[in-house]
């Protein structure tokens, strides 16, 4: 079993939602071509279960894969392309399970009409607006929706504008197709279209959760959307309350916190054989213990 995180470098700035969508589709096509050989090998009967996608779901999937090695299951967990990449790979028959931190969309189903997507929710997670401790200690104790929008749109350029220190804001935005960014967009804009990303030297696009966390920890005055599970125990980072509500487990479970998302394992048709054994393990009492380990909520905590 291997847990391989492929973290892309900083991407060129898109010029709007259409550019984001185009970049996502292009990435999916490139990913499809690059992994065809690997997929053919897996389809040929290598015996290995191939799971790929969300960097949020991957730690749980990886831990479960390790636990099942003793039972003879060979499971490879990777994170190419985030949630959108996993869905794309499943849709083109390259993997057995897509790991996703966003729900399937009508567009996903339309793009891959030959795939019978079946999503199994394994738990839930909170997306936080993460700032540095320096900024929090300097006076930023929470953000309104309008303030968060101003930061990510590049209209608020200094933390003193929201009660913080006299320090420039540096925004790390998630790349297209990431479940994290979709949750943030839904919170900020509902069903509306977000504006074009700012043309600023203090704005950059990042990929997975680990890359995002590393950028936040190494850049003064930075802010980014990130799974709150990835900042637990990181003394230099703070998940700020939004609209006065902190991303605690209680607030996430009750639905009070506004940026909560389900975590999925998605298959082509109902899980069968070894794939079913893998999914069932994560749904079991033993497997569900893996979620709190990474700062996520179990199905029981979410009332499922």
């Amino acid at each position: 079993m291997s847990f391989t995180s492929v973290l892309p470098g900083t991407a060129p700035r898109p010029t709007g939602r259409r550019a984001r969508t185009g970049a996502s589709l292009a990435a999916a096509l490139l990913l499809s071509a690059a992994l065809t050989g690997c997929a053919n090998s897996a389809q040929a009967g290598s015996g290995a279960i191939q799971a790929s996608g969300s960097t949020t779901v991957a730690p749980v999937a990886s831990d479960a894969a390790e636990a099942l090695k003793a039972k003879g299951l060979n499971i490879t967990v990777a994170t190419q392309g985030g949630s959108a990449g996993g869905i794309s790979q499943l849709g083109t028959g390259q993997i057995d399970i897509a790991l996703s931190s966003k729900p399937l969309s009508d567009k996903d189903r339309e793009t891959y009409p030959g795939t019978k997507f079946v999503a199994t929710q394994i738990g839930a997670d909170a997306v936080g607006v993460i700032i540095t401790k320096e900024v929090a200690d300097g006076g930023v104790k929470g953000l309104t929706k309008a303030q968060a929008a101003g930061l990510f749109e590049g209209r608020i350029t200094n933390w003193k504008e929201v009660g913080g220190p006299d320090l420039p804001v540096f925004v790390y935005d998630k790349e297209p197709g990431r479940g994290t960014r979709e949750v943030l967009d839904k919170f900020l804009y509902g069903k509306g279209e977000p504006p074009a990303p700012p043309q600023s030297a203090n704005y950059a696009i990042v990929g997975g959760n680990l890359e995002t966390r590393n950028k936040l920890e190494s850049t003064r005055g930075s802010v980014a959307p990130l799974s709150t599970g990835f900042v637990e125990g990181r003394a230099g980072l703070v998940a700020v309350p939004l609209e006065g509500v902190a991303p605690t487990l209680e607030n996430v479970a009750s639905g009070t916190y506004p940026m909560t998302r389900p975590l999925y394992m998605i298959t082509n048709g109902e899980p069968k054989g070894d794939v079913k054994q893998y999914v069932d393990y994560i749904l079991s009492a033993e497997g569900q213990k893996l979620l709190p380990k990474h700062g996520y909520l179990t199905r029981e905590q979410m009332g499922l």
Side-chain angles (χ1 to χ4, degrees):
M1 187 281 299
S2 62
F3 176 22
T4 306
S5 180
V6 179
L7 301 176
T10 300
R13 295 188 193 96
T15 57
R17 171 63 81 183
R18 185 173 298 176
R20 281 182 180 169
T21 302
S24 181
L25 290 174
L29 290 173
L30 288 172
L31 184 61
S32 174
L35 296 182
T36 297
C38 176
N40 288 341
S41 174
Q43 295 292 328
S46 64
I49 296 172
Q50 305 286 337
S52 183
S54 167
T55 57
T56 301
V57 182
V60 174
S62 182
D63 286 354
E66 186 66 30
L68 290 171
K69 283 177 68 175
K71 298 183 180 181
L73 266 66
N74 183 9
I75 304 167
T76 298
V77 178
T79 57
Q80 288 97 339
S83 297
I87 291 170
S88 172
Q89 292 169 72
L90 182 66
T92 52
Q94 299 174 36
I95 59 175
D96 303 291
I97 302 172
L99 311 176
S100 182
S101 57
K102 66 174 184 176
L104 285 159
S105 66
D106 291 339
K107 185 175 181 180
D108 293 326
R109 300 183 189 279
E110 292 168 2
T111 302
Y112 308 103
T115 301
K116 183 182 178 182
F117 291 108
V118 175
T120 301
Q121 185 175 349
I122 64 169
D125 172 41
V127 171
V129 173
I130 309 302
I131 63 176
T132 64
K133 186 175 184 296
E134 178 184 11
V135 171
D137 289 347
V140 178
K141 304 304 180 184
L143 294 169
T144 65
K145 182 186 295 187
Q147 288 173 330
L151 289 166
F152 286 101
E153 292 170 14
R155 293 183 287 105
I156 295 174
T157 59
N158 193 297
W159 286 107
K160 66 182 180 181
E161 298 176 59
V162 289
D166 185 3
L167 186 67
V169 174
F170 196 106
V171 176
Y172 285 111
D173 199 357
K174 284 283 192 170
E175 67 182 354
R178 296 282 177 176
T180 303
R181 179 67 216 196
E182 291 198 6
V183 173
L184 179 63
D185 282 347
K186 184 177 180 180
F187 167 61
L188 296 180
Y189 311 109
K191 295 182 180 180
E193 286 288 316
Q199 299 297 312
S200 168
N202 281 21
Y203 175 92
I205 294 177
V206 290
N209 289 328
L210 290 175
E211 180 188 12
T212 305
R213 187 175 70 189
N214 290 340
K215 293 291 188 181
L216 283 165
E217 290 182 324
S218 62
T219 307
R220 291 187 68 197
S222 56
V223 59
L226 179 64
S227 166
T228 58
F230 275 74
V231 300
E232 288 194 0
R234 314 299 290 200
L237 300 177
V238 176
V240 295
L242 299 175
E243 297 288 341
V245 183
T248 63
L249 291 180
E250 294 76 16
N251 289 338
V252 173
S254 68
T256 306
Y257 181 71
M259 293 209 299
T260 301
R261 59 178 173 181
L263 305 178
Y264 296 107
M265 298 186 80
I266 305 173
T267 53
N268 183 1
E270 294 293 337
K272 298 178 181 178
D274 289 349
V275 171
K276 185 177 189 304
Q277 185 179 353
Y278 182 31
V279 174
D280 284 350
Y281 175 79
I282 295 180
L283 296 178
S284 71
E286 183 178 355
Q288 286 287 287
K289 293 177 182 178
L290 300 174
L291 283 108
K293 173 183 173 183
H294 296 286
Y296 308 149
L297 276 77
T298 65
R299 287 173 54 87
E300 182 179 7
Q301 287 173 310
M302 293 302 297
L304 299 175

